[in-house]
């Protein structure tokens, strides 16, 4: 395996790098560009068998996306969930529904009015189920599901090795620069640990279903990916830190 810490050290030796991307992905995509990697959305690891995750120091968002995986039925199921249980964006006040919800196994969250949602691991059917509940905790819908074998394949294929980086940010003449000196390398423990952390609420499923706001696709559904996200405090529970 390539010594990724040494590769990043070479980049840091050149001094802070000018960020050339917009938004929250600026930190990670600037580093990937410096490593010679082109942006993609593949299910394989980013760099010579190592998945790279990075964020700026001081970033208050504590969740890290491990991977994206749509439910069984993919696009059709995403459309069904949005149309049946989505809600209207209060800020934009449009006629287009969205479904931006993070759901957990150990708690209930409110969605679109008075409905509630949670997730459950069903070991008999070998699935994770999204449960939509009434205020009286009656199950209204459990059709949105993920196959455990598919999740196991995604996890082990993409995250056998993880490099987690926290970057310092500098601003000069209105432009952002990054330095990547806090580099941590991890080895995946296993799929059983992944399932345990879902049950404990450290890993959640985050739906990011929105709509195109302009152009020829205006109003059409835009799925930014259904993310399996881990709280950064639980990284040592899913991974073993290595040199």
């Amino acid at each position: 395996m390539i010594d990724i810490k040494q590769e990043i050290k070479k980049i840091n030796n050149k001094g802070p790098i000018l960020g050339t991307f917009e938004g929250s992905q600026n930190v990670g995509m600037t580093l990937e560009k410096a490593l010679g990697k082109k942006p993609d959305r593949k299910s394989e690891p980013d760099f010579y068998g190592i998945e790279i995750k990075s964020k700026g120091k001081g970033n208050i968002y504590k969740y890290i996306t491990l991977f994206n995986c749509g439910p069984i039925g993919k696009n059709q199921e995403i459309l069904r969930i949005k149309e049946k249980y989505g809600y209207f964006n209060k800020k934009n006040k449009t006629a287009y529904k969205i479904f931006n919800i993070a759901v957990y196994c150990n708690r209930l969250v409110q969605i679109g009015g008075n409905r509630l949602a949670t997730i459950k691991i069903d070991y008999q059917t070998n699935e994770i189920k999204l449960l939509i509940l009434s205020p009286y905790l009656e199950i209204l819908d459990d059709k949105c599901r993920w196959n455990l074998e598919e999740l196991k394949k995604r996890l082990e294929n993409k995250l056998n090795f993880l490099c987690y980086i926290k970057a310092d940010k500098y601003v000069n003449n209105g432009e952002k620069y990054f330095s990547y000196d806090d580099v941590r390398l991890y080895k995946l423990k296993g799929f059983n640990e992944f399932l345990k952390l879902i049950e404990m609420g450290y890993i959640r499923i985050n739906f990011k279903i929105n709509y195109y706001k302009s152009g020829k696709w205006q109003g059409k559904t835009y799925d930014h990916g259904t993310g399996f996200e881990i709280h950064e405090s639980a990284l040592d529970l899913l991974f073993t830190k290595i040199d």
Side-chain angles (χ1 to χ4, degrees):
M1 185 175 63
I2 193 168
D3 188 342
I4 191 167
K5 288 188 175 183
Q6 189 63 30
E7 294 299 312
I8 295 173
K9 184 178 180 180
K10 291 177 186 176
I11 293 169
N12 283 328
N13 287 341
K14 299 175 184 178
I17 308 171
L18 173 64
T20 53
F21 298 89
E22 298 294 330
S24 60
Q25 294 182 320
N26 195 0
V27 175
M29 293 183 71
T30 297
L31 175 60
E32 289 183 8
K33 183 179 178 181
L35 287 168
K37 179 187 175 298
K38 294 181 180 179
D40 63 58
R41 299 188 69 180
K42 294 180 180 179
S43 58
E44 290 81 20
D46 288 317
F47 192 73
Y48 293 94
I50 303 169
E51 179 66 11
I52 301 172
K53 302 290 184 182
S54 56
K55 68 194 306 186
K57 291 179 182 177
N59 188 330
I60 61 173
Y61 190 75
K62 297 300 182 183
Y63 282 88
I64 302 161
T65 301
L66 295 169
F67 58 86
N68 288 327
C69 184
I72 297 170
K74 302 278 173 90
N75 294 339
Q76 289 183 338
E77 181 59 21
I78 288 295
L79 284 172
R80 186 187 76 85
I81 285 292
K82 190 198 78 164
E83 291 305 316
K84 195 163 186 179
Y85 302 109
Y87 54 93
F88 298 104
N89 190 325
K90 293 180 180 179
K91 291 183 179 179
N92 296 340
K93 297 181 180 178
T94 66
Y96 308 122
K97 286 184 177 180
I98 62 175
F99 192 79
N100 293 335
I101 298 290
V103 286
Y104 306 79
C105 198
N106 67 338
R107 73 187 86 164
L108 298 170
V109 295
Q110 188 171 356
I111 60 169
N114 60 357
R115 297 188 183 98
L116 302 167
T118 187
I119 51 176
K120 173 188 176 183
I121 302 177
D122 189 330
Y123 290 100
Q124 290 186 329
T125 63
N126 207 36
E127 294 172 324
I128 293 179
K129 298 177 180 179
L130 171 68
L131 304 182
I132 308 295
L133 308 171
S134 75
Y136 305 104
L137 303 185
E138 301 166 316
I139 297 177
L140 304 175
D141 194 315
D142 67 350
K143 295 177 182 177
C144 186
R145 303 176 178 196
W146 293 261
N147 179 270
L148 294 188
E149 287 300 319
E150 174 64 20
L151 295 177
K152 184 175 187 290
K153 184 167 64 175
R154 294 274 182 125
L155 178 71
E156 293 178 348
N157 185 47
K158 193 171 182 66
L159 286 151
N160 193 33
F161 290 98
L162 169 68
C163 183
Y164 182 49
I165 303 158
K166 287 194 173 184
D168 285 303
K169 182 177 75 173
Y170 312 90
V171 179
N172 186 18
N173 293 326
E175 293 186 308
K176 295 177 182 177
Y177 293 79
F178 301 106
S179 177
Y180 302 89
D181 59 337
D182 186 350
V183 182
R184 310 171 197 180
L185 191 60
Y186 295 92
K187 175 78 168 66
L188 180 67
K189 290 182 179 179
F191 188 62
N192 287 337
E193 284 76 11
F194 175 79
L195 295 179
K196 288 175 185 176
L197 291 174
I198 290 176
E199 291 177 324
M200 294 167 68
Y202 286 112
I203 294 177
R204 67 186 190 180
I205 301 176
N206 192 5
F207 290 91
K208 294 161 279 187
I209 310 173
N210 218 304
Y211 59 88
Y212 289 96
K213 296 179 174 59
S214 60
K216 66 177 182 177
W217 299 106
Q218 183 175 357
K220 298 290 185 182
T221 298
Y222 175 66
D223 181 17
H224 194 63
T226 306
F228 283 73
E229 301 178 344
I230 187 170
H231 196 280
E232 67 177 4
S233 66
L235 280 176
D236 288 339
L237 299 177
L238 183 60
F239 300 92
T240 300
K241 194 172 181 182
I242 59 176
D243 291 330

